[in-house]
Amino acid sequence: MTARGVRMAPGVYCIEIPTPFHVGSVNVYVLKEEHVTLVDVGPLTEEAWETLQEGLASIEIRMEEIKQIILTHHHVDHCGLLERVRRVSGARTLAHPLARPYVQLDESFMAYHDEFFTHLYSQSGVPADKMIIIEKFQKLMQTFSQPSQIDGLLRHEQIVPLLPEWQVLYTPGHSQSHLSLYREKDRLLIGGDHIIKHISSNAFIEPPRDGSRSRPLTLVQYRTALQMCADMEIDQVFAGHGEPVTNHRELISSRLQKNWDRTNALRQLLASGEKTAYELAALLFPTLYEKEMPLTLSETIGHIDLLMILHQVDVKERDGVLYYHL
Protein backbone atom coordinates (compact mmCIF):
# COMPACT_ATOMS: atom_id res chain seq x y z
CA MET A 1 0.00 0.00 0.00
CA THR A 2 1.36 3.41 -0.94
CA ALA A 3 2.18 5.66 2.01
CA ARG A 4 0.32 8.92 2.22
CA GLY A 5 0.68 12.01 4.32
CA VAL A 6 -2.54 12.71 6.20
CA ARG A 7 -3.56 16.29 7.02
CA MET A 8 -4.12 16.48 10.78
CA ALA A 9 -4.54 20.25 11.21
CA PRO A 10 -3.66 23.40 9.24
CA GLY A 11 -0.05 22.97 8.14
CA VAL A 12 0.37 19.66 10.02
CA TYR A 13 0.65 16.32 8.20
CA CYS A 14 1.31 12.84 9.56
CA ILE A 15 3.20 10.04 7.80
CA GLU A 16 2.97 6.59 9.36
CA ILE A 17 6.35 4.85 9.14
CA PRO A 18 6.72 1.06 9.65
CA THR A 19 9.18 -0.21 12.26
CA PRO A 20 10.48 -3.70 13.07
CA PHE A 21 9.66 -3.19 16.75
CA HIS A 22 6.88 -4.48 18.97
CA VAL A 23 5.46 -0.96 19.32
CA GLY A 24 4.47 -0.99 15.63
CA SER A 25 4.57 1.96 13.25
CA VAL A 26 5.80 5.40 14.28
CA ASN A 27 4.20 8.71 13.32
CA VAL A 28 6.41 11.43 11.89
CA TYR A 29 4.98 14.88 11.33
CA VAL A 30 5.54 17.41 8.58
CA LEU A 31 4.99 21.06 9.43
CA LYS A 32 4.34 22.56 6.01
CA GLU A 33 4.76 26.29 6.46
CA GLU A 34 7.04 28.81 4.76
CA HIS A 35 9.88 26.48 5.67
CA VAL A 36 9.31 22.72 5.90
CA THR A 37 10.03 21.04 9.24
CA LEU A 38 10.10 17.28 9.79
CA VAL A 39 9.39 16.07 13.33
CA ASP A 40 11.10 12.68 13.83
CA VAL A 41 12.23 10.47 10.95
CA GLY A 42 11.69 6.75 11.72
CA PRO A 43 14.19 3.87 12.07
CA LEU A 44 17.07 3.07 9.73
CA THR A 45 15.43 0.51 7.43
CA GLU A 46 14.83 0.53 3.68
CA GLU A 47 11.09 0.15 4.25
CA ALA A 48 11.02 3.21 6.49
CA TRP A 49 13.09 5.23 4.00
CA GLU A 50 10.83 4.37 1.08
CA THR A 51 7.70 5.06 3.11
CA LEU A 52 8.99 8.46 4.19
CA GLN A 53 9.78 9.43 0.61
CA GLU A 54 6.37 8.28 -0.61
CA GLY A 55 4.61 10.11 2.19
CA LEU A 56 6.44 13.34 1.44
CA ALA A 57 5.69 13.03 -2.28
CA SER A 58 1.98 12.56 -1.51
CA ILE A 59 1.88 16.05 0.05
CA GLU A 60 4.04 17.50 -2.73
CA ILE A 61 7.24 17.88 -0.74
CA ARG A 62 10.67 16.84 -1.92
CA MET A 63 13.20 15.67 0.62
CA GLU A 64 15.47 18.53 -0.46
CA GLU A 65 12.85 21.06 0.70
CA ILE A 66 13.14 20.06 4.37
CA LYS A 67 14.87 22.91 6.20
CA GLN A 68 15.00 21.44 9.68
CA ILE A 69 14.43 18.20 11.54
CA ILE A 70 13.22 18.20 15.14
CA LEU A 71 13.66 15.09 17.26
CA THR A 72 11.13 14.50 20.02
CA HIS A 73 13.69 12.13 21.59
CA HIS A 74 16.62 9.87 20.82
CA HIS A 75 15.03 6.40 20.57
CA VAL A 76 15.91 4.67 17.30
CA ASP A 77 12.32 4.31 16.05
CA HIS A 78 12.19 8.12 16.04
CA CYS A 79 15.71 9.13 15.01
CA GLY A 80 17.35 6.21 13.18
CA LEU A 81 16.99 7.67 9.66
CA LEU A 82 18.33 11.06 10.71
CA GLU A 83 21.70 10.96 8.96
CA ARG A 84 20.22 9.62 5.73
CA VAL A 85 17.61 12.40 5.65
CA ARG A 86 20.26 15.00 6.49
CA ARG A 87 22.48 13.90 3.62
CA VAL A 88 19.73 14.27 1.04
CA SER A 89 18.00 17.35 2.45
CA GLY A 90 20.87 19.33 3.97
CA ALA A 91 18.49 20.08 6.85
CA ARG A 92 19.61 21.22 10.30
CA THR A 93 18.74 19.01 13.26
CA LEU A 94 17.26 20.41 16.47
CA ALA A 95 16.85 18.42 19.68
CA HIS A 96 17.20 18.55 23.44
CA PRO A 97 20.85 18.64 24.62
CA LEU A 98 20.57 15.21 26.24
CA ALA A 99 19.84 13.59 22.88
CA ARG A 100 23.29 14.48 21.54
CA PRO A 101 25.44 11.54 22.77
CA TYR A 102 22.86 9.00 21.57
CA VAL A 103 22.44 10.65 18.17
CA GLN A 104 26.21 10.89 17.72
CA LEU A 105 26.69 7.33 19.05
CA ASP A 106 29.50 8.86 21.08
CA GLU A 107 31.90 6.04 21.93
CA SER A 108 32.90 7.29 25.37
CA PHE A 109 29.28 7.88 26.35
CA MET A 110 28.25 4.44 25.10
CA ALA A 111 31.00 2.83 27.17
CA TYR A 112 29.81 4.79 30.21
CA HIS A 113 26.23 3.73 29.37
CA ASP A 114 27.31 0.07 29.52
CA GLU A 115 29.12 0.57 32.82
CA PHE A 116 26.08 2.26 34.35
CA PHE A 117 23.73 -0.57 33.39
CA THR A 118 26.20 -3.26 34.44
CA HIS A 119 26.21 -1.72 37.91
CA LEU A 120 22.43 -1.07 37.98
CA TYR A 121 21.52 -4.58 36.86
CA SER A 122 24.01 -6.13 39.30
CA GLN A 123 22.46 -4.14 42.14
CA SER A 124 19.02 -5.24 40.92
CA GLY A 125 19.94 -8.91 41.20
CA VAL A 126 20.02 -9.71 37.48
CA PRO A 127 21.78 -13.08 36.98
CA ALA A 128 25.16 -12.92 35.21
CA ASP A 129 23.89 -14.91 32.21
CA LYS A 130 21.20 -12.26 31.58
CA MET A 131 23.67 -9.38 31.32
CA ILE A 132 23.81 -9.93 27.57
CA ILE A 133 20.91 -7.49 27.31
CA ILE A 134 23.44 -4.66 27.64
CA GLU A 135 25.18 -5.81 24.44
CA LYS A 136 21.79 -6.11 22.76
CA PHE A 137 21.15 -2.40 23.31
CA GLN A 138 24.39 -1.48 21.54
CA LYS A 139 23.50 -3.79 18.66
CA LEU A 140 20.04 -2.22 18.42
CA MET A 141 21.55 1.28 18.18
CA GLN A 142 24.09 0.23 15.57
CA THR A 143 21.54 -1.67 13.46
CA PHE A 144 18.69 0.83 13.35
CA SER A 145 20.56 4.13 13.49
CA GLN A 146 23.88 5.57 12.39
CA PRO A 147 26.02 8.36 13.82
CA SER A 148 24.63 11.79 13.05
CA GLN A 149 24.69 15.22 14.66
CA ILE A 150 22.57 17.90 16.27
CA ASP A 151 23.02 21.46 15.05
CA GLY A 152 20.78 23.38 17.44
CA LEU A 153 19.59 22.75 20.98
CA LEU A 154 16.02 23.20 22.18
CA ARG A 155 15.00 24.04 25.71
CA HIS A 156 11.77 24.36 27.63
CA GLU A 157 9.38 27.15 26.55
CA GLN A 158 11.56 28.54 23.77
CA ILE A 159 9.97 29.40 20.42
CA VAL A 160 10.90 26.89 17.71
CA PRO A 161 13.24 28.31 15.05
CA LEU A 162 11.40 29.00 11.75
CA LEU A 163 8.09 28.20 13.50
CA PRO A 164 7.01 31.30 15.46
CA GLU A 165 3.66 29.78 16.47
CA TRP A 166 5.21 26.68 18.05
CA GLN A 167 6.74 26.43 21.52
CA VAL A 168 9.04 23.76 22.95
CA LEU A 169 7.95 21.88 26.07
CA TYR A 170 10.49 19.73 27.89
CA THR A 171 8.60 16.54 28.79
CA PRO A 172 11.13 14.08 30.24
CA GLY A 173 10.42 10.65 31.65
CA HIS A 174 10.07 8.31 28.70
CA SER A 175 13.53 9.57 27.82
CA GLN A 176 15.77 12.25 29.28
CA SER A 177 15.85 14.02 25.91
CA HIS A 178 12.09 14.06 25.36
CA LEU A 179 10.42 17.23 24.21
CA SER A 180 7.03 18.14 22.75
CA LEU A 181 5.82 20.99 20.55
CA TYR A 182 2.78 23.13 21.42
CA ARG A 183 0.76 25.50 19.21
CA GLU A 184 -1.43 27.64 21.42
CA LYS A 185 -3.75 29.08 18.76
CA ASP A 186 -5.44 25.72 18.14
CA ARG A 187 -4.26 23.93 21.30
CA LEU A 188 -2.23 21.29 19.49
CA LEU A 189 0.55 19.22 21.05
CA ILE A 190 2.94 17.12 19.00
CA GLY A 191 3.71 14.82 21.89
CA GLY A 192 6.15 12.16 20.69
CA ASP A 193 5.94 9.26 23.13
CA HIS A 194 4.90 11.40 26.09
CA ILE A 195 1.15 10.84 25.74
CA ILE A 196 -0.05 7.87 23.68
CA LYS A 197 -3.67 6.79 23.49
CA HIS A 198 -3.47 3.00 23.40
CA ILE A 199 -0.40 2.28 25.56
CA SER A 200 1.25 3.74 28.62
CA SER A 201 4.72 5.08 27.88
CA ASN A 202 7.53 3.40 29.78
CA ALA A 203 9.73 5.69 31.87
CA PHE A 204 13.04 4.14 30.84
CA ILE A 205 15.92 4.25 33.28
CA GLU A 206 18.88 6.14 31.82
CA PRO A 207 22.31 7.05 33.16
CA PRO A 208 22.83 10.63 34.34
CA ARG A 209 24.70 12.69 31.76
CA ASP A 210 27.14 13.66 34.49
CA GLY A 211 28.54 10.45 35.92
CA SER A 212 29.15 12.09 39.30
CA ARG A 213 25.44 12.50 39.91
CA SER A 214 22.79 9.96 40.88
CA ARG A 215 20.52 8.51 38.21
CA PRO A 216 17.36 10.45 37.27
CA LEU A 217 14.12 9.26 38.87
CA THR A 218 12.47 8.79 35.51
CA LEU A 219 8.99 7.76 36.65
CA VAL A 220 8.84 10.75 38.99
CA GLN A 221 9.90 12.98 36.08
CA TYR A 222 7.33 11.40 33.81
CA ARG A 223 4.48 11.89 36.28
CA THR A 224 5.47 15.53 36.81
CA ALA A 225 5.61 16.21 33.06
CA LEU A 226 2.21 14.55 32.62
CA GLN A 227 0.75 16.74 35.34
CA MET A 228 2.19 19.81 33.62
CA CYS A 229 0.34 18.84 30.44
CA ALA A 230 -2.87 18.09 32.36
CA ASP A 231 -2.84 21.72 33.50
CA MET A 232 -2.58 22.97 29.90
CA GLU A 233 -5.35 23.68 27.41
CA ILE A 234 -4.80 20.94 24.81
CA ASP A 235 -7.49 19.90 22.34
CA GLN A 236 -5.45 17.27 20.50
CA VAL A 237 -2.21 15.41 21.11
CA PHE A 238 -0.60 14.11 17.94
CA ALA A 239 1.27 11.12 19.33
CA GLY A 240 4.38 9.29 18.20
CA HIS A 241 2.35 6.09 17.88
CA GLY A 242 -1.31 5.50 17.19
CA GLU A 243 -4.27 7.85 17.02
CA PRO A 244 -4.54 11.44 18.30
CA VAL A 245 -5.55 11.93 21.92
CA THR A 246 -8.56 14.20 22.45
CA ASN A 247 -9.15 13.63 26.19
CA HIS A 248 -5.69 14.24 27.57
CA ARG A 249 -6.77 15.07 31.13
CA GLU A 250 -8.82 11.89 31.55
CA LEU A 251 -6.06 9.79 30.01
CA ILE A 252 -3.39 11.34 32.22
CA SER A 253 -5.53 10.84 35.33
CA SER A 254 -5.94 7.17 34.44
CA ARG A 255 -2.19 6.71 33.85
CA LEU A 256 -1.29 8.36 37.15
CA GLN A 257 -3.75 6.15 39.02
CA LYS A 258 -2.27 3.03 37.41
CA ASN A 259 1.09 4.00 38.90
CA TRP A 260 -0.40 3.78 42.39
CA ASP A 261 -2.09 0.49 41.51
CA ARG A 262 1.34 -0.88 40.62
CA THR A 263 2.98 0.42 43.78
CA ASN A 264 0.25 -1.37 45.76
CA ALA A 265 0.99 -4.54 43.81
CA LEU A 266 4.67 -4.23 44.74
CA ARG A 267 3.87 -3.79 48.42
CA GLN A 268 1.72 -6.93 48.31
CA LEU A 269 4.59 -8.86 46.73
CA LEU A 270 6.94 -7.64 49.48
CA ALA A 271 4.53 -8.74 52.20
CA SER A 272 5.93 -12.26 51.91
CA GLY A 273 9.54 -11.11 52.42
CA GLU A 274 12.41 -9.13 50.91
CA LYS A 275 13.04 -9.23 47.16
CA THR A 276 15.36 -7.74 44.57
CA ALA A 277 14.14 -5.54 41.73
CA TYR A 278 14.77 -8.43 39.33
CA GLU A 279 12.64 -10.79 41.44
CA LEU A 280 9.87 -8.19 41.64
CA ALA A 281 9.97 -7.65 37.87
CA ALA A 282 9.64 -11.39 37.32
CA LEU A 283 6.57 -11.48 39.56
CA LEU A 284 4.98 -8.35 38.06
CA PHE A 285 5.67 -9.34 34.43
CA PRO A 286 5.95 -13.15 34.39
CA THR A 287 5.58 -13.49 30.60
CA LEU A 288 7.64 -10.41 29.67
CA TYR A 289 10.43 -9.93 32.17
CA GLU A 290 13.08 -11.93 30.27
CA LYS A 291 12.09 -10.87 26.75
CA GLU A 292 11.71 -7.17 27.62
CA MET A 293 14.09 -6.82 30.55
CA PRO A 294 15.08 -3.13 30.07
CA LEU A 295 11.39 -2.22 29.94
CA THR A 296 10.21 -4.37 32.84
CA LEU A 297 13.15 -3.46 35.09
CA SER A 298 12.70 0.25 34.35
CA GLU A 299 9.02 -0.06 35.20
CA THR A 300 9.75 -1.96 38.42
CA ILE A 301 12.59 0.30 39.59
CA GLY A 302 10.53 3.39 38.80
CA HIS A 303 7.72 2.24 41.05
CA ILE A 304 10.21 1.27 43.77
CA ASP A 305 11.49 4.86 43.52
CA LEU A 306 7.98 6.14 44.25
CA LEU A 307 7.69 3.87 47.27
CA MET A 308 11.13 4.87 48.53
CA ILE A 309 10.31 8.59 48.25
CA LEU A 310 7.19 8.00 50.34
CA HIS A 311 9.09 5.84 52.86
CA GLN A 312 6.73 2.94 52.20
CA VAL A 313 9.54 0.45 51.61
CA ASP A 314 13.06 0.10 52.95
CA VAL A 315 16.19 -1.31 51.37
CA LYS A 316 19.33 -3.07 52.53
CA GLU A 317 22.43 -4.09 50.60
CA ARG A 318 24.15 -7.47 50.74
CA ASP A 319 27.12 -8.38 48.54
CA GLY A 320 26.37 -5.46 46.20
CA VAL A 321 22.71 -6.42 45.68
CA LEU A 322 19.76 -4.33 46.91
CA TYR A 323 16.95 -6.10 48.74
CA TYR A 324 13.66 -4.29 49.30
CA HIS A 325 11.33 -4.96 52.21
CA LEU A 326 8.35 -3.43 54.02
Side-chain angles (χ1 to χ4, degrees):
M1 183 172 67
T2 303
R4 295 196 61 81
V6 177
R7 184 181 183 275
M8 308 296 289
V12 182
Y13 296 81
C14 176
I15 303 171
E16 192 174 342
I17 305 291
T19 81
F21 309 120
H22 180 70
V23 72
S25 59
V26 63
N27 296 326
V28 306
Y29 294 93
V30 181
L31 305 184
K32 192 177 180 183
E33 301 188 11
E34 181 181 354
H35 302 284
V36 176
T37 297
L38 183 63
V39 182
D40 291 338
V41 292
L44 182 63
T45 68
E46 282 304 315
E47 187 180 13
W49 174 249
E50 291 169 7
T51 302
L52 179 59
Q53 288 181 301
E54 290 174 3
L56 289 170
S58 75
I59 54 175
E60 300 180 338
I61 291 177
R62 293 178 297 108
M63 190 80 70
E64 292 81 0
E65 294 179 81
I66 298 170
K67 294 296 182 185
Q68 63 184 8
I69 302 159
I70 297 175
L71 300 179
T72 60
H73 61 298
H74 66 259
H75 293 167
V76 291
D77 55 331
H78 292 260
C79 76
L81 271 175
L82 177 61
E83 184 60 20
R84 194 162 180 183
V85 174
R86 283 172 58 92
R87 287 174 185 171
V88 174
S89 66
R92 297 179 75 245
T93 302
L94 307 176
H96 189 272
L98 293 175
R100 180 169 271 165
Y102 294 94
V103 169
Q104 293 176 338
L105 290 178
D106 180 87
E107 288 186 10
S108 62
F109 177 79
M110 288 301 166
Y112 160 60
H113 187 278
D114 285 358
E115 290 171 9
F116 169 84
F117 277 102
T118 298
H119 179 66
L120 178 73
Y121 290 165
S122 295
Q123 277 194 324
S124 300
V126 175
D129 64 327
K130 306 294 184 186
M131 287 291 192
I132 193 171
I133 60 171
I134 297 172
E135 294 176 26
K136 287 183 178 179
F137 173 79
Q138 296 282 7
K139 186 176 181 181
L140 175 82
M141 295 287 288
Q142 292 163 5
T143 302
F144 296 108
S145 68
Q146 59 190 131
S148 191
Q149 70 182 63
I150 293 170
D151 305 295
L153 302 179
L154 298 176
R155 296 186 182 274
H156 183 61
E157 290 192 336
Q158 81 172 82
I159 300 303
V160 181
L162 305 182
L163 297 169
E165 294 183 331
W166 291 89
Q167 183 184 46
V168 176
L169 297 179
Y170 182 42
T171 48
H174 176 65
S175 84
Q176 292 301 290
S177 66
H178 200 290
L179 52 81
S180 304
L181 304 178
Y182 181 63
R183 188 165 73 181
E184 184 178 17
K185 73 173 185 180
D186 46 5
R187 300 176 176 182
L188 295 181
L189 185 76
I190 296 177
D193 286 359
H194 184 53
I195 302 173
I196 300 174
K197 182 176 181 179
H198 64 292
I199 52 172
S200 177
S201 300
N202 187 266
F204 282 105
I205 301 291
E206 290 181 25
R209 187 64 186 98
D210 180 347
S212 68
R213 299 185 181 183
S214 57
R215 66 172 172 83
L217 303 181
T218 55
L219 184 60
V220 177
Q221 283 182 324
Y222 180 59
R223 288 174 54 83
T224 305
L226 282 177
Q227 289 167 329
M228 176 186 71
C229 290
D231 289 339
M232 295 178 62
E233 296 300 326
I234 298 172
D235 288 348
Q236 291 191 88
V237 180
F238 296 151
H241 304 275
E243 301 174 359
V245 173
T246 56
N247 61 335
H248 79 294
R249 290 194 176 103
E250 292 87 346
L251 184 63
I252 288 169
S253 177
S254 171
R255 296 276 159 80
L256 294 176
Q257 181 56 50
K258 284 181 179 177
N259 289 153
W260 296 123
D261 293 343
R262 184 148 285 162
T263 58
N264 288 334
L266 281 171
R267 284 178 53 82
Q268 290 171 10
L269 291 171
L270 290 172
S272 61
E274 65 179 22
K275 293 174 179 65
T276 66
Y278 178 77
E279 289 169 334
L280 289 167
L283 292 167
L284 279 175
F285 307 100
T287 62
L288 274 180
Y289 79 100
E290 289 188 310
K291 183 179 178 183
E292 300 284 354
M293 196 178 299
L295 186 155
T296 56
L297 266 178
S298 286
E299 190 78 5
T300 302
I301 293 170
H303 286 83
I304 291 171
D305 288 342
L306 287 181
L307 288 168
M308 293 290 291
I309 287 170
L310 295 171
H311 300 286
Q312 292 184 11
V313 298
D314 288 315
V315 63
K316 56 187 173 185
E317 181 177 342
R318 287 200 309 273
D319 300 324
V321 178
L322 301 180
Y323 294 85
Y324 300 94
H325 60 95
L326 296 181

